[in-house]
Amino acid sequence: MNTPGGILFISEGGENPDSPGLRQALKLAHAGNARLVVLSLYPDLPERYRNLQESFEEFLKTELLHSIETACRSLCMAGDDPDCSVIVRKVSRVPLSIAIIREVISAGYDLVIKDADSVGGQGFRGMDMTLLRKCPSPVWLARSLSRSGKGVRIMVAVDPESREPGEHELSLGLLKKASALAGIFDGTLTVVSCWEFEFEKILRYKAWLTIPESDLVANREEVRTSHKQQLDKLVEESGMQGKYRMHHLRGRPEEVIPGFIEKESIDILVMGSVGRTGIPGFLIGNTAENVFEQISCTLLAMKPSGFVSPVTMPGNLS
């Protein structure tokens, strides 16, 4: 994965070498020869402990460096470690998630990684949802991979029926990233796209209209064929390398994708989180959010290149 602007890993304090996010960040940085910055943010200390701030920050930094060194050894990176640095910083008067997004905007990171903050191992909560909605860079929410070595199962979900150029470019980007990840993790890649004949239920409501079953079947097949042709064209245009499987699933994404992930034991889902571009404050798409709420795997969520974060820098009143 090419990340020229570097990777930002968010530490939530007391990081241990077995953190799935830290290990995955190190692996991605090593594979892409990318700069990795580990950022640990902490709230302002109570007044009575302000004199301990410097020693506290030094303690956090030492602990993080030790965890990074241990994780590199366990990943067999010793002697060939990625370019990695640690930043420990106090945050006052703003939520940590907003401070993270401002850091991303200021430094231009290409990828943000953190351990998923979930309840019961499913879905995403709190800070994770803020990052998914408002962070301009791709967001990687990590969970432990059931296959630590070869055979990591990667799935990319795309919609070939683009309604604007930004959506089409996003779909191409999703396919390329997923293909690159399959190479990095020496894993398998599955391309999934969902289709449905939206008006079938309405047309079957015979109280106002009667349509022969043969016509309904023909119309449904026409929709399926058209969607599949657009999917094939999209995959070809992406120039994906390596082997992959393709599944053309009938139904709404939020209804079929979570079940497919569970059935196929997918480790990493690559998916778009926002379809529209250039709209400050535009939140995560309902379809994507409904999918994310039901999954228990690692997630790489991407936004189109024209996405505008609603988060502003200090002093920016626009």
Side-chain angles (χ1 to χ4, degrees):
M1 177 178 288
N2 182 22
T3 52
I7 298 172
L8 180 66
F9 172 69
I10 307 302
S11 168
E12 297 187 84
E15 219 66 52
N16 69 72
D18 295 324
S19 156
L22 178 60
R23 293 171 66 87
Q24 290 163 29
L26 287 166
K27 189 174 184 68
L28 291 169
H30 181 266
N33 194 27
R35 177 176 63 109
L36 173 62
V37 175
V38 177
L39 176 64
S40 179
L41 301 177
Y42 67 93
D44 203 2
L45 296 175
E47 183 67 34
R48 68 178 67 180
Y49 300 121
R50 293 281 171 80
N51 62 319
L52 300 176
Q53 181 173 321
E54 186 175 342
S55 59
F56 176 65
E57 290 188 358
E58 190 60 33
F59 169 76
L60 287 177
K61 186 172 183 178
T62 300
E63 288 291 297
L64 283 170
L65 289 171
H66 175 71
S67 294
I68 292 167
E69 181 182 355
T70 303
C72 284
R73 284 201 304 268
S74 70
L75 292 170
C76 300
M77 292 181 183
D80 190 23
D81 298 347
D83 175 14
C84 183
S85 59
V86 173
I87 298 175
V88 177
R89 185 172 297 158
K90 178 184 69 175
V91 175
S92 302
R93 296 186 295 276
V94 296
L96 294 181
S97 57
I98 301 303
I100 292 169
I101 295 171
R102 286 177 173 173
E103 187 78 20
V104 172
I105 294 172
S106 175
Y109 293 105
D110 292 305
L111 179 64
V112 177
I113 300 178
K114 71 177 293 293
D115 287 321
D117 180 17
S118 58
V119 178
Q122 180 174 302
F124 303 98
R125 305 291 185 271
M127 183 189 299
D128 293 355
M129 291 307 300
T130 300
L131 293 176
L132 288 171
R133 288 168 171 154
K134 301 180 180 181
C135 182
S137 298
V139 175
W140 180 292
L141 298 174
R143 292 188 171 104
S144 297
L145 302 178
S146 59
R147 303 164 184 82
S148 57
K150 295 182 178 180
V152 172
R153 296 185 180 182
I154 298 161
M155 168 182 154
V156 55
V158 293
D159 180 3
E161 295 182 331
S162 303
R163 288 160 287 279
E164 60 174 80
E167 295 182 25
H168 181 72
E169 294 303 316
L170 175 60
S171 293
L172 291 175
L174 291 168
L175 291 169
K176 292 174 182 177
K177 290 292 186 184
S179 180
L181 287 175
I184 291 172
F185 286 93
D186 197 12
T188 61
L189 176 60
T190 301
V191 178
V192 169
S193 190
C194 302
W195 70 278
E196 61 176 337
F197 184 26
E198 296 182 356
F199 300 107
E200 183 170 8
K201 290 183 179 179
I202 296 176
L203 295 178
R204 285 186 181 279
Y205 189 62
K206 298 182 179 181
W208 70 284
L209 179 67
T210 300
I211 296 180
E213 181 68 23
S214 59
D215 287 356
L216 284 174
V217 172
N219 291 337
R220 184 176 65 228
E221 180 61 18
E222 182 179 345
V223 170
R224 185 197 68 81
T225 301
S226 175
H227 191 277
K228 181 61 164 59
Q229 289 173 345
Q230 293 180 72
L231 177 60
D232 291 339
K233 182 179 179 181
L234 180 71
V235 171
E236 181 180 359
E237 184 181 350
S238 73
M240 290 170 54
Q241 302 296 316
K243 297 181 179 180
Y244 59 87
R245 296 182 304 154
M246 188 180 297
H247 288 265
H248 196 217
L249 305 179
R250 182 183 175 189
R252 296 180 181 276
E254 61 267 37
E255 295 174 353
V256 299
I257 286 180
F260 182 88
I261 289 173
E262 183 72 21
K263 177 184 176 183
E264 298 294 321
S265 300
I266 298 298
D267 295 296
I268 302 173
L269 170 65
V270 181
M271 187 171 172
S273 60
V274 174
R276 300 184 187 179
T277 61
I279 308 177
F282 184 79
L283 300 183
I284 195 169
N286 287 335
T287 296
E289 185 165 2
N290 290 338
V291 171
F292 297 163
E293 286 178 349
Q294 302 177 68
I295 65 173
S296 55
C297 61
T298 292
L299 170 68
L300 171 58
M302 296 172 56
K303 300 178 181 70
S305 59
F307 174 79
V308 179
S309 174
V311 176
T312 58
M313 301 300 288
N316 185 354
L317 301 180
S318 61

